[in-house]
Amino acid sequence: MFKFLSSEPLHQPLDAPTPVDETTIKCTTCYMCACRCGIRVHLREGEDGPEVRYIDGNPNHPLNQGVICAKGASGIMKQKSPARLTQPLLRKAGSARGAAEFEAISWERAYELLTTRLAHIRATDPKKFALFTGRDQMQALTGLFARQFGTPNYAAHGGFCSVNMAAGMIYSVGGSFWEFGGPDLERAKVFVMIGTAEDHHSNPMKIAISKFKREGGRFISINPVRTGYSAIADEWIPIKPGTDGALLMALLHELIRTDTLDHALLKRFTNAPQLVVLDEGPREGLFAFDPNPEKGPPGDGRNPHNKLIFDKASGQVLNAYPEGIADGCDPALEGRYTLADGTRVAPSFQLLRDRVASCTPEWAATITGIAAERIVALAQEMGHAALQQAFELPIPWTDAWGKLHPTTQARPLAFHAMRGLAAHSNGFQTVRALAVLMSVLGTIDAPGGFRHKAPYPRHIVPNYRAFNSPEMIQPNTPLNAAPLGFPAHPDELAINPDGSPIRIDHAFSWEHPLSAHGVMHNVITNATRGDPYRIDTLLMFMANMAWNSTMNTMAIREMLNRKDEQGEFMIPFVVVCDAFQSETVAFADLVLPDTTYLERHDVMGMLDRPISEFDGPVDSVRVPVVKPLGECKPFQEVLIELAGRLKFPAFTTAEGGRKFTGYPDFVVNFQPQPGIGFLMGWRGKNGDEHLRGEPNPKQWEAYEQNNCVFQYHMPKTMHYMRNWNREYLDFAKEKGWRQKNDPVQLAIYSDTLQSFRLAAQGKAEGRQPPEHLRERIDTYFDPLPFWYAPLEDAATDLGSYPLNAITQRPMAMYHSWDSQNAWLRQIHSHNYLNVNPRTALAAGIADGGWAWVESQWGKVRCMVRHSEAVEPGTVWTWNAIGKADGAWQLAPGSDEARKGFLLNHLISEELPMRGTPSGTVSNSDPITGQAGWYDVRVRIRPASPDEAGETFPQMDSMPTVPGVVGKAAQVLRYFAGGKKS
Ligand code: SF4
């Protein structure tokens, strides 16, 4: 039960409802999850200003078209949450972190404390400030703040979410799923969803799937668990976690064996025919290129246009462009050749062919648990959909080399994939395998296949280098590059001359070089250890890193409280900005109360993560529909205020004054390049320019008058084949979405990865990995996709821990956010471990029985539910239903604390590794640093009768912090329709 703090009902349920004409409607954007649907908030006048009466979907919004989910409609209960923080809080002197003993302070005191501390850090050693954020939607601002501060220690949640999906796809096809692209279910005939639960792109995906199925499409779900979208799939193919890569390699084997390929596309629009050097040496495994400087510089992963091909028609080696794509030329996809200078070469597709030769369906069957015959049939079904069921749309387009294509070729085979593939230490190469599979069937940006969303596709590799110059970390100086980016070569790593990491999370180091979203899950461990150095201040925004947003939860909580020999905390100052009394709030030195999404301005724009549709760019905003509760302030405003007080150059006028009055002013007037701002709609002095134009002082009003969304419809000729579509490429460059207008050839073979491998092998000049990481880089930076067992397997006695354990985000809640939501809480107040009956009964555990779940890292006690919707080798549960006692204003003894549990206790943030200073390395993908959430192996056994009744571990109850709302009883009374008290 919620805490009872007041007997005053919020509203009188027996009174007549507010007449409709007394209700006002304001449009804004939902943030009950990250999908960003358009909503209408119905308001009525209360004693203290407008109050939310109810929320529904906005029918005029392109994303959700009026659809709203249970979470979105429950936003009113987030607004009325008893767990709302309302005042800045300072930890009481002498109290322990975690004890949640605070005194309320004014914002001015909070600003003074922060400004004094941050100004000192910035003037002495800026990297001692670390800013890490959770699932926020304002990374363009937080990233800019870190860069202006001068610290490289910044990232958002992507490193522990799905960076493997983003990076694996972007390094292969220039775009990825969800915000960056998705399945074209309007034209697909077969839809394969692999490793996806019901989370990303939720409402739009539901709308699309229902239409797809009504029109006779076939939906295949490949997943260890059949929940969410999979529940309505025509076929569920259970698979063992972490083995998707093996399945994809076997599918490639079958497609290549049976020559079920889009040859024309492979030859013209991918690097499949380009010749790879086979001779040992510094060029080994890289593409051969024409040394004529007029043909462009040597390939560096960012300039693919001077490679060579072998023309079967003339029997000659030719430049790939434009000669290799001229009429009459027939680039070879197979064979081995010798260049005029004696260099031995082969088309990269030949190397792929060689790679998959041993990846037979029988081989994959032993790894995935899927019968070989089913794999063969699946390959046939995919090939049939993409090639035999293909059709053409009467849409002409011109490719990057000027060839007019009178029609657009549809490939009606669509995929969707997400964290199930990504959250493994083999996820990057698995996603590469998926991208290559989609490419060989010609489905990239084709009707019915995978379609990009602006500003994607990006270049391969995107032209965003992460900050990588240690000498540029200087007092009172912004960084010369953004903290995050896409490395294309060892020279772009964020390492010191001795090869050690520059960043506190070791991102962009030799440990995981392509960590495009940072490695958030190692920040507290590394900072506590002083590896590679100690920091002073850790600012966390919307990141519950003392609970579900971390692995090894109990140890992390201890680390946050750990002191050095002088009695100082290993992390001297912890700042937490959150709207709710989460578990992590208890560990803060300073708490900054954030607003809800209904109380602030927000931007989902092209500089960060827009909500673009397939047919054109879309951005959206949030506007305040009610005033902030208590003294809550939007974190955006806090950052703008701090940037002004700290006199960051981008936030300060030439005269030394403040450039921006606040966040709305900043959004309108800040331009990273002329004419480009946070929002692309209604630009220009008069608001009559779009995509690019001068700042418009009335831009916010324009969004408010237009459903808080701007959508630009591109002409049909720019809807497809955008990797190579001349009209689109020129347009994208002109609008500032891309730096160049050159085509984006699909990377069947990744010379970028090979450049790291050559360094590891000591064959290339320049930066080389430290000795203990050479073999790791050599192994995993394979230019062709391959499957390997998740790294944790090698550190695990698989006989003792035979089961995979995974989590899923519950569809009624967004991570840890919604246990304080009186409506949603009723759906999941506690969780079970779902186990196949065969597995559970073999372990002697009854349905509903209590059991121990043990990994080599820890153990939890929980209740078990028998479920046929999980493959027998896997157990799973909902993420973040279990809560620490007293957190989120849940009363001591609530079901969330006593019956709910976190799987995180079983997962280590590190794995053993010889040679590193700590003897460990992040439990992550060795390429991207993606957290290996789903790699943990466990065993189960029944709990004894005297152990039943309560989950393990249990926490000391978190007390109510000053200023927290705590009015749950009112909420329940009103909405239960009870009588007046
Ligand atoms: S899917 Fe997410 S953004 Fe859309 S209505 Fe539901 S909670 Fe809101």
Side-chain angles (χ1 to χ4, degrees):
M1 289 291 293
F2 284 113
K3 182 165 282 193
F4 181 90
L5 288 184
S6 168
S7 61
E8 288 299 308
L10 282 174
H11 308 287
Q12 292 299 351
L14 302 182
D15 289 353
T18 309
V20 172
D21 57 4
E22 289 176 26
T23 305
T24 54
I25 299 174
K26 275 199 158 188
C27 293
T28 187
T29 304
C30 186
Y31 199 2
M32 291 297 287
C33 84
C35 292
R36 300 160 296 179
C37 299
I39 51 171
R40 300 186 303 190
V41 185
H42 299 253
L43 300 157
R44 67 176 165 197
E45 215 40 53
E47 283 175 9
D48 205 19
E51 289 180 344
V52 181
R53 184 152 182 255
Y54 68 97
I55 299 171
D56 62 2
N58 184 347
N60 299 317
H61 198 278
L63 200 75
N64 56 315
Q65 302 153 43
V67 173
I68 192 160
C69 77
K71 296 189 297 291
S74 303
I76 186 169
M77 287 293 114
K78 178 168 273 185
Q79 196 60 25
K80 297 293 182 192
S81 165
R84 288 288 305 274
L85 299 166
T86 63
Q87 292 169 293
L89 303 171
L90 189 64
R91 185 171 56 83
K92 282 189 178 161
S95 69
R97 286 187 185 152
E101 292 179 22
F102 295 105
E103 59 175 301
I105 60 170
S106 67
W107 269 105
E108 188 49 39
R109 173 112 192 271
Y111 280 136
E112 274 172 21
L113 277 169
L114 264 177
T115 309
T116 305
R117 192 155 198 126
L118 295 183
H120 175 71
I121 298 171
R122 190 164 186 261
T124 50
D125 191 356
K127 67 178 182 299
K128 294 202 162 190
F129 169 59
L131 168 59
F132 284 84
T133 73
R135 191 42 180 111
D136 67 293
Q137 296 180 339
M138 45 184 285
Q139 290 156 35
L141 173 59
T142 51
L144 178 68
F145 185 91
R147 182 174 174 178
Q148 288 282 308
F149 188 94
T151 179
N153 291 323
Y154 159 79
H157 82 299
F160 65 54
C161 181
S162 272
V163 67
N164 270 340
M165 182 53 63
M169 290 282 285
I170 290 170
Y171 275 78
S172 304
V173 302
S176 188
F177 289 105
W178 195 20
E179 290 122 320
F180 316 130
D184 180 11
L185 295 188
E186 214 178 313
R187 292 172 193 82
K189 309 260 192 228
V190 171
F191 175 39
V192 180
M193 186 174 263
I194 178 165
T196 309
E198 159 145 348
D199 45 12
H200 297 91
H201 215 46
S202 179
N203 277 344
M205 185 59 71
K206 286 179 217 150
I207 297 168
I209 291 177
S210 63
K211 207 165 153 222
F212 172 76
K213 285 203 61 165
R214 272 200 303 275
E215 289 171 6
R218 181 164 148 72
F219 173 15
I220 301 169
S221 168
I222 304 171
N223 203 308
V225 178
R226 183 170 197 170
T227 58
Y229 304 126
S230 298
I232 57 161
D234 296 294
E235 184 180 359
W236 171 45
I237 302 179
I239 186 170
K240 293 188 181 305
T243 69
D244 311 83
L247 171 66
L248 294 162
M249 294 300 286
L251 291 168
L252 277 166
H253 168 98
E254 277 300 291
L255 293 171
I256 292 175
R257 183 185 69 79
T258 56
D259 199 29
T260 309
L261 304 166
D262 186 339
H263 287 271
L265 181 121
L266 282 170
K267 290 179 180 183
R268 190 173 181 89
F269 297 129
T270 76
N271 65 17
Q274 293 173 9
L275 300 176
V276 176
V277 174
L278 302 177
D279 294 335
E280 203 173 323
R283 297 285 312 158
E284 180 184 347
L286 298 177
F287 287 110
F289 63 94
D290 187 333
N292 181 349
E294 287 175 16
K295 295 288 184 180
D300 63 356
R302 289 193 160 119
N303 186 341
H305 301 304
N306 61 344
K307 312 291 169 54
L308 305 175
I309 56 102
F310 181 82
D311 174 24
K312 288 197 284 187
S314 64
Q316 290 183 333
V317 171
L318 301 175
N319 284 311
Y321 306 97
E323 294 87 340
I325 55 168
D327 286 347
C329 182
D330 185 13
L333 292 176
E334 58 288 307
R336 286 179 163 71
Y337 306 94
T338 304
L339 302 182
D341 64 1
T343 305
R344 292 182 307 119
V345 293
S348 70
F349 197 79
Q350 175 64 51
L351 304 182
L352 177 67
R353 186 183 287 272
D354 296 345
R355 167 59 52 83
V356 301
S358 59
C359 301
T360 61
E362 291 73 22
W363 164 81
T366 61
I367 297 167
T368 61
I370 303 171
E373 303 74 46
R374 185 68 198 91
I375 296 173
V376 171
L378 188 59
Q380 285 169 353
E381 190 168 3
M382 287 177 177
H384 187 264
L387 303 181
Q388 270 79 55
Q389 292 188 278
F391 54 92
E392 292 178 0
L393 293 183
I395 302 173
W397 65 285
T398 302
D399 73 23
W401 303 276
K403 179 170 179 174
L404 174 70
H405 300 258
T407 58
T408 299
Q409 178 70 61
R411 296 286 181 210
L413 169 68
F415 289 84
H416 186 50
M418 219 52 222
R419 199 177 297 123
L421 264 62
H424 295 284
S425 53
N426 61 9
F428 179 86
Q429 289 289 10
T430 294
V431 174
R432 277 270 298 143
L434 174 65
V436 170
L437 174 66
M438 291 161 65
S439 299
V440 301
L441 290 172
T443 67
I444 303 300
D445 215 32
F450 165 87
R451 292 180 68 190
H452 292 297
K453 298 173 181 174
Y456 289 83
R458 300 281 200 202
H459 200 89
I460 302 173
V461 176
N463 291 307
Y464 298 98
R465 291 159 175 80
F467 169 80
N468 66 353
S469 356
E471 68 280 4
M472 276 301 298
I473 302 176
Q474 293 294 337
N476 292 326
T477 308
L479 302 181
N480 64 344
L484 302 177
F486 294 90
H489 191 272
D491 290 345
E492 297 177 13
L493 292 180
I495 51 175
N496 294 301
D498 66 358
S500 61
I502 290 177
R503 291 173 53 113
I504 192 67
D505 59 356
H506 299 192
F508 306 109
S509 75
W510 285 107
E511 287 177 12
H512 13 67
L514 308 186
S515 36
H517 293 175
V519 190
M520 187 168 171
H521 47 291
N522 287 97
V523 171
I524 291 173
T525 305
N526 293 351
T528 305
R529 193 182 279 148
D531 175 11
Y533 43 77
R534 285 184 60 179
I535 60 170
D536 178 273
T537 295
L538 171 60
L539 170 48
M540 292 178 268
F541 170 57
M542 246 181 70
N544 200 8
M545 288 174 72
W547 195 246
N548 60 296
S549 293
T550 192
M551 299 163 159
N552 200 5
T553 302
M554 296 304 279
I556 294 293
R557 290 163 72 91
E558 180 276 319
M559 286 179 207
L560 284 167
N561 232 332
R562 196 181 296 173
K563 293 182 176 169
D564 63 14
E565 286 159 1
Q566 284 72 45
E568 185 176 17
F569 283 114
M570 296 300 291
I571 305 175
F573 201 59
V574 174
V575 185
V576 173
C577 182
D578 208 314
F580 306 103
Q581 185 196 301
S582 73
E583 286 86 351
T584 305
V585 163
F587 290 84
D589 296 299
L590 179 65
V591 179
L592 306 175
D594 191 23
T595 48
T596 69
Y597 68 108
L598 298 177
E599 298 170 342
R600 64 168 180 249
H601 291 92
D602 258 337
V603 168
M604 281 67 63
M606 297 292 271
L607 299 186
D608 182 359
R609 294 179 160 206
I611 60 164
S612 296
E613 296 281 295
F614 296 143
D615 296 347
V618 189
D619 64 13
S620 63
V621 301
R622 295 191 183 97
V623 293
V625 298
V626 291
K627 66 178 192 180
L629 182 70
E631 294 172 36
C632 294
K633 277 190 198 298
F635 186 54
Q636 295 93 326
E637 294 292 357
V638 174
L639 290 181
I640 301 287
E641 177 69 27
L642 287 173
R645 290 184 184 224
L646 293 166
K647 297 205 177 297
F648 291 172
F651 293 78
T652 307
T653 63
E655 297 75 39
R658 297 245 181 129
K659 215 179 225 175
F660 308 108
T661 56
Y663 182 63
D665 182 37
F666 166 79
V667 167
V668 167
N669 290 305
F670 179 78
Q671 297 190 92
Q673 51 177 302
I676 305 285
F678 269 66
L679 291 168
M680 62 184 168
W682 300 284
R683 299 192 68 82
K685 280 210 169 96
N686 302 318
D688 51 6
E689 294 172 42
H690 299 302
L691 307 184
R692 195 162 192 160
E694 280 185 72
N696 166 17
K698 296 201 179 318
Q699 196 175 27
W700 281 105
E701 287 93 316
Y703 273 84
E704 279 196 61
Q705 288 156 16
N706 289 278
N707 296 303
C708 288
V709 64
F710 170 77
Q711 181 169 23
Y712 184 86
H713 297 278
M714 299 189 304
K716 273 206 164 67
T717 47
M718 289 203 272
H719 283 190
Y720 301 102
M721 308 304 276
R722 281 164 284 190
N723 290 55
W724 320 276
N725 185 319
R726 171 50 56 214
E727 188 183 358
Y728 175 80
L729 292 168
D730 291 344
F731 181 79
K733 180 172 181 242
E734 187 201 326
K735 301 307 175 195
W737 305 341
R738 306 187 69 223
Q739 291 172 358
K740 297 180 181 175
N741 64 349
D742 49 357
V744 187
Q745 295 296 79
L746 306 180
I748 303 293
Y749 182 94
S750 175
D751 51 344
T752 300
L753 295 181
Q754 178 67 10
S755 69
F756 287 86
R757 179 182 247 188
L758 286 173
Q761 292 172 342
K763 292 176 179 169
E765 289 185 3
R767 285 172 157 183
Q768 306 221 338
E771 287 308 316
H772 66 278
L773 292 170
R774 275 191 194 274
E775 188 184 338
R776 175 174 158 114
I777 299 286
D778 184 18
T779 304
Y780 301 111
F781 275 74
D782 194 309
L784 289 164
F786 74 113
W787 179 82
Y788 55 93
L791 300 189
E792 188 161 340
D793 280 13
T796 306
D797 175 357
L798 298 178
S800 297
Y801 300 98
L803 301 171
N804 291 96
I806 60 175
T807 58
Q808 297 196 67
R809 187 172 61 69
M811 59 192 78
M813 293 191 175
Y814 196 64
H815 301 299
S816 62
W817 261 357
D818 293 305
S819 290
Q820 32 79 19
N821 187 304
W823 290 352
L824 298 174
R825 185 186 176 224
Q826 297 171 52
I827 301 172
H828 300 282
S829 70
H830 59 283
N831 53 324
Y832 295 84
L833 186 77
N834 295 287
V835 185
N836 188 287
R838 218 180 334 146
T839 310
L841 292 173
I845 303 168
D847 186 25
W850 285 83
W852 285 100
V853 191
E854 298 167 324
S855 74
Q856 61 178 314
W857 317 111
K859 62 180 182 178
V860 295
R861 188 174 60 226
C862 62
M863 285 186 286
V864 165
R865 188 57 85 208
H866 290 191
S867 168
E868 295 283 354
V870 54
E871 71 93 21
T874 302
V875 297
W876 75 275
T877 190
W878 298 122
N879 177 40
I881 297 297
K883 294 287 191 292
D885 203 49
W888 304 92
Q889 272 296 293
L890 298 172
S894 65
D895 275 3
E896 285 84 347
R898 299 290 158 198
K899 291 162 132 186
F901 72 102
L902 266 191
L903 206 73
N904 305 46
H905 297 302
L906 303 180
I907 305 172
S908 173
E909 82 281 30
E910 296 190 303
L911 295 175
M913 169 166 266
R914 274 201 296 268
T916 62
S918 60
T920 58
V921 72
S922 173
N923 180 9
S924 298
D925 189 297
I927 298 171
T928 61
Q930 154 94 50
W933 289 110
Y934 298 163
D935 289 348
V936 70
R937 304 294 290 244
V938 303
R939 63 188 176 204
I940 54 175
R941 63 181 169 86
S944 61
D946 59 323
E947 293 171 327
E950 187 176 82
T951 55
F952 174 90
Q954 290 289 320
M955 315 292 127
D956 290 342
S957 192
M958 180 179 176
T960 295
V961 302
V964 79
V965 167
K967 290 179 183 169
Q970 293 181 336
V971 175
L972 291 174
R973 177 165 305 164
Y974 169 56
F975 288 97
K979 293 194 171 82
K980 288 182 192 178
S981 52

